[in-house]
Amino acid sequence: MSRMDSRLLSLAKFHIFCTLSLAAIIFIIYADSIIYNDSEKSVELNDKAPSPVMLQTHSSAGHLIKSDINRIALRSMQEETLEVGRESPLVPPFNATEEERIAWFRSKLPEFEIFKSDKFARQFHGRVLEFFNKCEGQFFMTWISPVRSFGSREFLSMESLFRAHPRGCLMILSRTMDSRRGYRILKPLQDRGFKVHAVTPDLSFLFKNTPAEAWFAEMKGGKKDPGEIPLAQNLSNLMRLAILYKYGGVYLDTDFIVLNSFLGLRNSIGAQSVDVASKNWTRLNNAVLVFDMNHPLLYKFMEEFALTFDGNKWGHNGPYLVSRVVQRVQNRPGYNFTILPPITFYPVDWNRIGGLFKKPGSQAHYRWVKAKLLQLSRETYGVHLWNKQSSRVAIEEGSIMQRLISDHCVICSDIYSS
């Protein structure tokens, strides 16, 4: 064979290899799309407003309430452009005046994806009703950060929830997680039969006919000061109240490890701290909420949010808000709720959470760790990890955290990273 023929043959082989490689890549992408779409069927909904949710009584078995409205479409795949998760905490300029912040916020409104009420968001109500079918417990989380920020700590929260509630259903209210990339994050749990789903919320629908409706209209119109604190944080405070008010269930922060079943709880909120002498609570927290739909206390919480909103004070629209309202109404007739002691959800306060991550340094410390683990298993429904304080703390071998994670994960991959 001549040198020219050899070169032509090599060139032909190269072209064939490139063609086959390109075909293989296209097949993989197409197959992934088929798998995604097969697992999450998409149906277009009408644009007309859905009917209101009907109030039902709590079942005697302790399961959380569900609506009996006809089931409609569950899944609507968002545009692939949302996969990158552009949603991020929009932080106002430092030391700006109220007028400057409002002007800044108005200019940034197009970037605030969570405000949009597009065709994906308008399917929200139907997707909620379709999803919560045959569930032993309705659970909600919110995620307004980029999808790439949803890490092992957040995944562990989901794992622990399903370890305690294998037949429970978890919905994550999130535009960024309601994407192909978000689907891939949740898929390992779905593949094991756990019901977890991310859905783009329609905030206009969620706040409609609640005390927050007018507040949201002003904020969405760029007429209200969002404050110095990222608005996403305060929106999460409000979204958890509205979702429970309209559907009932359990709200959990994404930095919470579930240790025991919540199915025996109803209309409950946890105390973060108590007075040592009187044993009366001094502060409540909203990281965990358990309420029936249309509960009057949730209505009061939203009313307080709208009337006293202040985006410049951390906690004012969250833990301090629920504490203010409960202090006013706890002795009034017509409210039926329970305040649970700190050991229930907040066995360790934020300024001591680092101690759970440390390995025993002595025999006395080892005995304390053993006793603490026994107490948590018997008296605690879960542990709030105070992510702001603990996210960068390494989990040491033999620590309480190491034991809790090992005992309450279901996939147990990369479980010791933050």
Side-chain angles (χ1 to χ4, degrees), residues 29 32-34 36-37 75 77-80 82-83 147 176-185:
I29 294 172
D32 179 72
S33 176
I34 291 174
Y36 181 83
N37 289 324
R75 175 66 184 166
M77 170 64 180
Q78 288 198 55
E79 299 294 339
E80 190 66 22
L82 284 179
E83 181 179 325
V147 64
T176 59
M177 287 290 288
D178 187 10
S179 63
R180 190 179 301 280
R181 186 169 175 178
Y183 165 74
R184 287 173 182 154
I185 291 173

Side-chain angles (χ1 to χ4, degrees), residues 43-87:
V43 181
E44 285 294 329
L45 295 179
N46 295 327
D47 288 339
K48 65 181 181 180
S51 5
V53 176
M54 302 292 292
L55 176 63
Q56 293 186 351
T57 57
H58 193 280
S59 72
S60 59
H63 298 167
L64 294 171
I65 49 182
K66 295 194 282 283
S67 170
D68 62 353
I69 294 181
N70 290 335
R71 306 295 175 183
I72 44 183
L74 169 61
R75 175 66 184 166
S76 175
M77 170 64 180
Q78 288 198 55
E79 299 294 339
E80 190 66 22
T81 53
L82 284 179
E83 181 179 325
V84 295
R86 291 183 296 159
E87 197 79 83

Side-chain angles (χ1 to χ4, degrees), residues 278-348:
S278 68
K279 304 300 182 184
N280 294 326
W281 66 268
T282 55
R283 183 183 300 172
L284 306 181
N285 201 290
N286 64 336
V288 182
L289 299 168
V290 185
F291 283 97
D292 292 347
M293 67 171 73
N294 291 344
H295 195 280
L297 186 59
L298 295 172
Y299 188 94
K300 279 292 183 185
F301 287 157
M302 289 187 286
E303 191 175 63
E304 179 77 4
F305 186 101
L307 292 174
T308 69
F309 176 80
D310 188 339
N312 297 314
K313 298 176 183 176
W314 186 92
H316 177 82
N317 312 298
Y320 298 140
L321 181 150
V322 295
S323 300
R324 291 194 305 271
V325 173
V326 168
Q327 191 170 35
R328 290 200 300 263
V329 307
Q330 62 181 339
N331 295 319
R332 295 183 190 175
Y335 296 90
N336 175 28
F337 64 96
T338 302
I339 300 173
L340 299 170
I343 189 66
T344 310
F345 302 135
Y346 314 102
V348 182

Side-chain angles (χ1 to χ4, degrees), residues 77-278:
M77 170 64 180
Q78 288 198 55
E79 299 294 339
E80 190 66 22
T81 53
L82 284 179
E83 181 179 325
V84 295
R86 291 183 296 159
E87 197 79 83
S88 60
L90 296 176
V91 182
F94 184 64
N95 277 344
T97 65
E98 181 177 332
E99 292 74 17
E100 288 170 340
R101 272 197 307 270
I102 292 175
W104 168 86
F105 181 64
R106 194 177 294 123
S107 71
K108 294 289 184 180
L109 275 174
E111 300 177 32
F112 216 65
E113 301 279 348
I114 196 73
F115 275 3
K116 291 183 178 179
S117 187
D118 53 23
K119 65 178 181 179
F120 303 111
R122 286 194 296 271
Q123 297 180 49
F124 168 71
H125 179 59
R127 295 170 73 188
V128 173
L129 298 180
E130 177 69 17
F131 179 69
F132 286 115
N133 184 21
K134 298 179 181 178
C135 301
E136 289 189 359
Q138 299 183 174
F139 296 87
F140 297 94
M141 294 178 177
T142 64
W143 189 259
I144 312 181
S145 299
V147 64
R148 62 180 177 272
S149 302
F150 198 95
S152 57
R153 176 71 63 89
E154 290 74 29
F155 198 86
L156 172 63
S157 293
M158 297 191 298
E159 287 192 61
S160 67
L161 188 154
F162 288 116
R163 182 67 178 262
H165 311 87
R167 289 179 293 278
C169 298
L170 168 63
M171 176 167 284
I172 304 171
L173 275 60
S174 173
R175 179 176 284 268
T176 59
M177 287 290 288
D178 187 10
S179 63
R180 190 179 301 280
R181 186 169 175 178
Y183 165 74
R184 287 173 182 154
I185 291 173
L186 302 180
K187 192 172 184 296
L189 288 169
Q190 294 171 343
D191 288 346
R192 287 162 173 81
F194 300 118
K195 289 192 68 175
V196 54
H197 202 62
V199 173
T200 299
D202 184 351
L203 297 189
S204 295
F205 168 77
L206 195 58
F207 301 143
K208 188 176 179 60
N209 298 325
T210 76
E213 185 175 10
W215 175 89
F216 181 67
E218 280 191 273
M219 189 62 73
K220 189 176 180 180
K223 300 173 183 177
K224 203 168 187 67
D225 178 16
E228 296 177 351
I229 295 168
L231 184 59
Q233 180 177 316
N234 284 315
L235 267 180
S236 175
N237 285 327
L238 182 57
M239 286 165 63
R240 67 190 68 180
L241 303 176
I243 195 70
L244 293 186
Y245 185 73
K246 290 215 164 178
Y247 299 101
V250 178
Y251 168 82
L252 297 172
D253 271 1
T254 55
D255 58 345
F256 188 85
I257 296 183
V258 178
L259 305 185
N260 288 299
S261 172
F262 279 58
L263 296 184
L265 297 178
R266 183 182 177 192
N267 299 325
S268 302
I269 187 169
Q272 178 183 329
S273 57
V274 295
D275 180 77
V276 177
S278 68

